[in-house]
Amino acid sequence: MNGGDEVVATAPLQPLEWKFSQVFGERTAGEEIQEVDIISAIEFDKNGDHLATGDRGGRVVLFETSDTRDLGGSRRDLEGVDYPISRHPEFRYKTEFQSHEPEFDYLKSLEIEEKINKIRWCQTSNRALFLLSTNDKTIKFWKVQEQKIKKISQMNVDPSTAITNGSVATSSSSNNLKTYVENGLPSERLFSYLSSDFSFPSGGVPSLHLPVVATSQETSLVARCRRVYAHAHDYHINSISNNSDGETFISADDLRINLWNLEISNQSFNIVDVKPANMEDLTEVITSAEFHPTHCNVLAYSSSKGCIRLIDMRQSALCDSHAKLFEEQEPAGSRSFFTEIIASMSDIKFGKDGRYILSRDYMTLKLWDVNMDRGPVATFQVHEYLKPKLCELYENDSIFDKFECCLSGDSMRVATGSYSNLFRVFGCTPGSNEATTLEASKNPMRRQVQTPSRPPRPLGTITRAVRRGAESPVVDANGNSFEPTTKLLHLAWHPSENSIACAAANSLYMYYA
């Protein structure tokens, strides 16, 4: 630009070429998958330096970028060094801990499983990592920090003479238990507190001194539960989301959304309640909720009716009314028994700048502009080819599967999972025809189906939804129909790189472009 208001037109982004990066927990052919090992949550931290996964066994596993740890310093600081650095983030195992245990609610005769539903990273402090994890009923606030190992030195007895079972013995062959030591106490009284393997030196112990606790340079990672937020939800928790103020977060179940302060675990505020006076009048439930990334007073939640409500907490203490409603009008004459089921949104995500909201229902991905509530600005077909199979999907409950979605850090691409361990990546910039199908394996492109070019109109001039992806049916390696038992529900996009982490059963796959 040479001054004035001249705008330089940019060419549409070219489709990315995705490549395999890493896999953790890869299973061998024929290996049986344990239920407790299946991954149920994935989340990058704000900077993308750490990745957390949760599984059905209640465990949280943390990974960290390997380049910054090996070389020291941030990625930006390392750009000027002479030796090459990987252009895409690579991760290494950091630590793991047991976040939740199975419980039993005796009042309701209900078993509460340990499965991790969601993980959210909190702000770091003093080189310590903080995160929230939740199962169906209880949210926990964890601190993970490296601590120096403390060792006991200057013992009264030479440690080299200690035996492996923890009791202490000396090299002396004396077994005279009736001798008195020089400090005046009978040896039999002292010996009553010691192991039978212990024997005093023949000359007694000339003097006793207190051992010294010394801090070594060795470190170990320690995970500590700082707070437990419990007994606030009657129904299963489906979402937790951090506020940009760094002090509060929300938790949502089917009928209520609660607001918590991170420092207060015994009190929460109910800000959304959709429970009717008579449960027979219940027509919709809350399916997902998320805070705006920059405005601490704004949050959005989706419902089983296929709509998104944007609420402003400044309006009232109980946000019964919404500031905006995002809903797509269904075409006349298209209603069927499955209409409401497939319209239910399983996940919503804000873009990094908060301008767009991405939603996932059973059939499609939809991109919404927060400034335009008359309909989505783009619709991406994910399961269009499954329309003839809805009866079969209903009978085996697959139609109720909850697929997650994610946006790239620049909000130019979106991704979501599908069946047969496939996931799809779509470009959402003006002129883009990107609609890539990839498989969660070491060869992600082997089942890619090319989509005919069909560029959308610019977002600013869209008057109706743009639909892409319907021309590329998802098929398995042999061209057969989908496999409903292998589904890719959970995935996350790195906040600053074109890198995706996704879960296929108990395996964590990572790809870059």
Side-chain angles (χ1 to χ4, degrees):
M1 297 178 64
N2 299 318
D5 296 328
E6 181 185 355
V7 178
V8 179
T10 58
L13 293 177
Q14 294 299 314
L16 296 176
E17 182 180 350
W18 291 93
K19 299 177 182 178
F20 170 78
S21 175
Q22 292 173 277
V23 59
F24 297 94
E26 184 182 22
R27 60 184 184 273
T28 58
E31 180 183 355
E32 183 179 355
I33 302 173
Q34 300 297 321
E35 181 78 11
V36 295
D37 294 333
I38 296 178
I39 297 173
S40 56
I42 301 178
E43 184 77 6
F44 282 103
D45 70 353
K46 184 177 180 180
N47 299 321
D49 293 331
H50 294 89
L51 174 68
T53 65
D55 62 27
R56 295 187 183 181
R59 293 164 297 190
V60 172
V61 183
L62 303 184
F63 302 88
E64 64 181 352
T65 50
S66 55
D67 54 356
T68 56
R69 177 163 180 170
D70 291 338
L71 303 176
S74 67
R75 194 176 185 85
R76 180 178 298 177
D77 296 337
L78 297 173
E79 290 179 352
V81 298
D82 295 333
Y83 38 85
I85 300 175
S86 171
R87 291 183 298 170
H88 64 277
E90 292 185 352
F91 287 80
R92 61 159 52 158
Y93 171 85
K94 185 178 181 73
T95 188
E96 67 180 86
F97 56 91
Q98 188 71 33
S99 174
H100 288 73
E101 300 280 357
E103 302 175 33
F104 191 83
D105 188 335
Y106 293 97
L107 293 177
K108 298 182 179 179
S109 296
L110 180 67
E111 186 177 352
I112 304 171
E113 62 180 356
E114 65 271 33
K115 172 192 168 190
I116 304 297
N117 289 343
K118 295 290 180 181
I119 297 174
R120 290 292 181 267
W121 289 92
C122 302
Q123 294 180 356
T124 59
S125 176
N126 297 327
R127 299 176 63 86
L129 303 176
F130 296 89
L131 52 87
L132 291 166
S133 62
T134 183
N135 65 352
D136 287 338
K137 295 291 184 180
T138 305
I139 307 163
K140 294 185 179 182
F141 183 46
W142 291 91
K143 177 182 180 180
V144 182
Q145 187 176 30
E146 282 191 352
Q147 292 187 346
K148 291 185 177 180
I149 299 174
K150 294 182 178 180
K151 295 183 177 181
I152 300 176
S153 60
Q154 299 183 21
M155 302 285 288
N156 289 284
V157 179
D158 186 0
S160 64
T161 63
I163 60 176
T164 56
N165 65 3
S167 58
V168 181
T170 66
S171 58
S172 171
S173 60
S174 173
N175 291 319
N176 183 8
L177 306 181
K178 298 298 182 180
T179 58
Y180 282 73
V181 293
E182 291 186 5
N183 62 4
L185 287 176
S187 60
E188 62 265 24
R189 290 181 57 191
L190 287 176
F191 202 78
S192 64
Y193 297 96
L194 300 174
S195 167
S196 60
D197 295 324
F198 184 89
S199 61
F200 280 100
S202 58
V205 180
S207 64
L208 293 175
H209 58 267
L210 291 175
V212 176
V213 179
T215 302
S216 70
Q217 295 303 313
E218 298 178 27
T219 60
S220 65
L221 280 167
V222 178
R224 286 194 173 95
C225 183
R226 298 290 303 274
R227 286 175 188 84
V228 178
Y229 313 90
H231 312 301
H233 288 277
D234 292 330
Y235 304 93
H236 290 179
I237 299 172
N238 56 46
S239 303
I240 52 175
S241 179
N242 303 88
N243 199 343
S244 58
D245 62 9
E247 298 179 357
T248 57
F249 71 94
I250 56 171
S251 58
D253 63 23
D254 291 343
L255 299 181
R256 293 186 177 94
I257 299 177
N258 293 333
L259 177 68
W260 301 82
N261 188 299
L262 282 168
E263 301 297 323
I264 304 172
S265 60
N266 59 357
Q267 185 181 40
S268 65
F269 297 94
N270 178 229
I271 57 175
V272 175
D273 190 346
V274 300
K275 184 178 181 180
N278 185 355
M279 286 295 286
E280 293 182 358
D281 298 330
L282 182 66
T283 58
E284 64 177 331
V285 296
I286 299 168
T287 57
S288 182
E290 179 151 318
F291 262 120
H292 191 282
T294 57
H295 297 163
C296 63
N297 57 288
V298 177
L299 63 93
Y301 70 91
S302 59
S303 84
S304 57
K305 280 194 170 181
C307 63
I308 302 172
R309 290 179 174 86
L310 198 70
I311 61 175
D312 190 337
M313 294 191 297
R314 297 173 298 184
Q315 292 181 343
S316 63
L318 185 62
C319 303
D320 291 325
S321 59
H322 51 264
K324 284 189 176 182
L325 175 67
F326 301 93
E327 188 175 22
E328 185 176 29
Q329 301 298 323
E330 69 179 62
S334 63
R335 191 169 185 81
S336 70
F337 172 79
F338 303 107
T339 299
E340 284 194 10
I341 299 177
I342 63 176
S344 177
M345 292 183 178
S346 56
D347 191 25
I348 60 170
K349 291 288 195 310
F350 273 101
K352 192 173 185 178
D353 58 0
R355 172 69 184 274
Y356 297 102
I357 302 175
L358 180 67
S359 67
R360 171 68 203 265
D361 56 49
Y362 188 72
M363 305 297 290
T364 65
L365 270 176
K366 291 185 175 72
L367 189 68
W368 309 78
D369 188 331
V370 296
N371 297 324
M372 190 182 79
D373 55 4
R374 63 176 179 268
V377 295
T379 299
F380 308 100
Q381 298 296 332
V382 181
H383 285 162
E384 183 76 9
Y385 74 103
L386 292 180
K387 276 188 176 180
K389 299 178 177 290
L390 292 180
C391 286
E392 175 187 337
L393 295 165
Y394 180 78
E395 290 174 356
N396 61 24
D397 287 340
S398 294
I399 201 171
F400 301 106
D401 288 335
K402 300 183 183 302
F403 293 93
E404 294 179 0
C405 59
C406 58
L407 297 92
S408 60
D410 54 14
S411 298
M412 293 184 178
R413 292 177 176 87
V414 296
T416 190
S418 182
Y419 293 105
S420 303
N421 284 341
L422 301 175
F423 65 100
R424 308 203 68 190
V425 179
F426 299 94
C428 49
T429 56
S432 174
N433 62 349
E434 185 173 2
T436 308
T437 301
L438 304 135
E439 182 188 34
S441 68
K442 289 187 175 181
N443 184 14
M445 305 295 284
R446 70 176 182 174
R447 290 158 79 167
Q448 181 186 5
V449 182
Q450 293 295 333
T451 304
S453 175
R454 194 181 185 183
R457 284 170 285 177
L459 296 180
T461 61
I462 287 181
T463 57
R464 63 180 182 179
V466 175
R467 298 181 177 270
R468 293 209 313 278
E471 300 87 357
S472 55
V474 183
V475 295
D476 64 17
N478 299 318
N480 299 320
S481 59
F482 76 108
E483 176 52 57
T485 58
T486 55
K487 47 200 170 191
L488 198 152
L489 302 176
H490 312 286
L491 76 171
W493 201 303
H494 192 282
S496 59
E497 305 278 351
N498 284 323
S499 177
I500 293 178
C502 58
N506 64 329
S507 301
L508 176 67
Y509 287 91
M510 306 196 69
Y511 304 93
Y512 72 97

